[in-house]
Amino acid sequence: MSRTGIMLMAYGTPETAEHVAPYYTHIRGGRPPSPEAVAHLTHRYEAVGGRTPLTELTEEVRAAVAERLAERGLDVPVYVGMKHWHPYIADVLPRVRADGVTRLIGIVLAPHYSRFSVGGYQRYLFEGMHKHGTHLDVEFVEHWHDHPGFLDVMATLVREGLTRFPEEARDDVVVVFSAHSLPERIRTWGDPYEAQLAESARAVAARVGLRDARVAWQSAGATGEPWIGPDILDYLDTLHAEGVRHVLQVPIGFVCDHLEILYDLDVETRAKAESLGMTYRRTQLPNVRPDFVEALADVAARAVAGEN
Ligand code: FEC
């Protein structure tokens, strides 16, 4: 008998300072980073309180999505698998199989597709099946950046974000959508990542009635090759030169609080904006908001019905 399961996948985060080096090594595909690079990353974690809530938030989303699916009459177990830390995607597969699941739907908790990001999750899942000799019929939701429920959530978050500026400044706030940068070479293989980001930014801007949908990139890695820009830190200089004084950043490429939000935006980007005399705010992340959970459950339910 065939049974369907869902695996929600997220990046993974180290739980202690001792985990930072092995975590970083995993991100680098097994190549250990230099002690300086580990110290720098450890410092970023310390600056946000030693750890990030990514694992807990992902587990809460998992439980909430499972509940919504059950309410829709779908008896579908929902699992969490992480790309770079425990519970690793591969390590969850024996439990999936033991539960009698034969068809597994993978959904990455990042809305836009890139071979670098979502493609990496796919690779870890297939390698995991190979490692454990587990055969599952795997289907992947490759992107859900245009799901109307998700776009509505983001529009709500932008409206809420705008209210955090003084009333008299609201018309002058420039809204900047962002996602994790990736190496520029993704362009050489026709990757849809940039186009999908622009599409979701435009759709949210239209819902809110913004004049335009500006895009910048964040959290680029230090790998010695060019990454997609403009980086938000440079873009703030550009905006400042245009006379802009109020900026609302919308990290639409992420769905929960983690290092790239709590450090890269709340510490680094905020400090840069303030040094330029700008008022800087960022939108809240969807995290476990009921409307976001509902959108995600809908993405999952459609996939179960084979509608993706
Ligand atoms: O809270 C946490 O502890 C985890 C935060 C976190 C998220 C995240 C999401 C994405 N990344 C993506 C691409 C890359 C590429 C490299 C890379 C490197 C890092 C490092 C840390 C890190 N990432 Fe990440 N990423 C998070 C954390 N990421 C830490 C290593 C130090 C650094 O470079 O800052 C470069 C790999 C290399 O060096 O070879 C590429 C993409 C996403 C968004 C999609 C997703 O969530 O999966 C794309 C969250």
Side-chain angles (χ1 to χ4, degrees):
M1 207 186 69
S2 129
R3 188 177 191 209
T4 299
I6 289 174
M7 189 186 285
L8 299 180
M9 287 175 261
Y11 206 77
T13 184
E15 285 131 45
T16 67
E18 287 70 44
H19 293 160
V20 172
Y23 169 71
Y24 201 170
T25 303
H26 194 276
I27 289 174
R28 289 167 44 86
R31 289 172 299 123
S34 67
E36 295 74 32
V38 173
H40 179 64
L41 184 54
T42 306
H43 162 77
R44 284 165 64 201
Y45 280 105
E46 279 165 2
V48 301
R51 61 195 302 280
T52 80
L54 175 68
T55 308
E56 287 80 359
L57 288 168
T58 308
E59 173 52 30
E60 283 179 47
V61 164
R62 184 206 65 74
V65 167
E67 210 170 284
R68 291 294 171 95
L69 291 175
E71 283 164 15
R72 292 178 181 223
L74 292 171
D75 171 26
V76 184
V78 184
Y79 306 89
V80 160
M82 297 289 182
K83 196 180 200 180
H84 295 301
W85 198 249
H86 302 280
Y88 288 111
I89 292 167
D91 295 349
V92 180
L93 293 175
R95 185 155 57 88
V96 172
R97 203 64 192 89
D99 288 347
V101 169
T102 50
R103 172 185 179 230
L104 184 66
I105 295 167
I107 303 175
V108 177
L109 295 177
H112 308 90
Y113 179 87
S114 166
R115 201 168 94 192
F116 239 120
S117 61
V118 175
Y121 288 88
Q122 289 172 316
R123 189 167 49 79
Y124 282 115
L125 180 53
F126 286 112
E127 284 174 5
M129 289 204 302
H130 186 67
K131 175 177 160 194
H132 292 290
T134 323
H135 179 74
L136 292 162
D137 291 323
V138 172
E139 292 165 35
F140 241 86
V141 177
E142 294 204 328
H143 63 89
W144 41 275
H145 72 286
D146 52 356
H147 186 280
F150 167 65
L151 297 171
D152 287 344
V153 171
M154 294 311 301
T156 302
L157 293 171
V158 172
R159 286 189 206 99
E160 278 174 11
L162 287 169
T163 65
R164 282 186 279 120
F165 288 84
E167 205 165 342
E168 63 282 7
R170 275 178 215 161
D171 282 348
D172 300 327
V173 175
V174 167
V175 177
V176 182
F177 294 86
S178 67
H180 202 294
S181 180
L182 282 173
E184 265 181 20
R185 73 188 135 98
I186 67 165
R187 290 176 179 157
T188 62
W189 62 63
D191 200 273
Y193 190 63
E194 290 175 273
Q196 289 188 359
L197 185 71
E199 199 186 333
S200 53
R202 274 197 305 270
V204 174
R207 277 169 165 74
V208 180
L210 302 176
R211 277 188 291 272
D212 50 15
R214 300 195 184 209
V215 166
W217 301 88
Q218 62 168 95
S219 314
T223 55
E225 65 178 318
W227 286 56
I228 297 167
D231 187 277
I232 184 65
L233 297 174
D234 300 328
Y235 196 55
L236 287 176
D237 286 321
T238 307
L239 292 175
H240 187 261
E242 282 177 27
V244 172
R245 293 295 175 265
H246 307 286
V247 175
L248 176 66
Q249 185 165 354
V250 187
I252 193 170
F254 300 102
V255 299
C256 80
D257 293 326
H258 48 58
L259 194 70
E260 318 297 75
I261 303 298
L262 303 173
Y263 186 84
D264 295 2
L265 301 192
D266 291 358
V267 177
E268 217 173 34
T269 309
R270 172 180 298 276
K272 169 81 188 230
E274 286 176 356
S275 76
L276 294 169
M278 297 165 124
T279 318
Y280 172 82
R281 304 273 184 272
R282 58 122 176 124
T283 48
Q284 299 295 301
L285 275 291
N287 287 334
V288 199
R289 287 175 61 101
D291 49 1
F292 174 61
V293 169
E294 182 57 36
L296 213 48
D298 194 58
V299 169
R302 282 166 186 244
V304 171
E307 287 170 11
N308 270 294

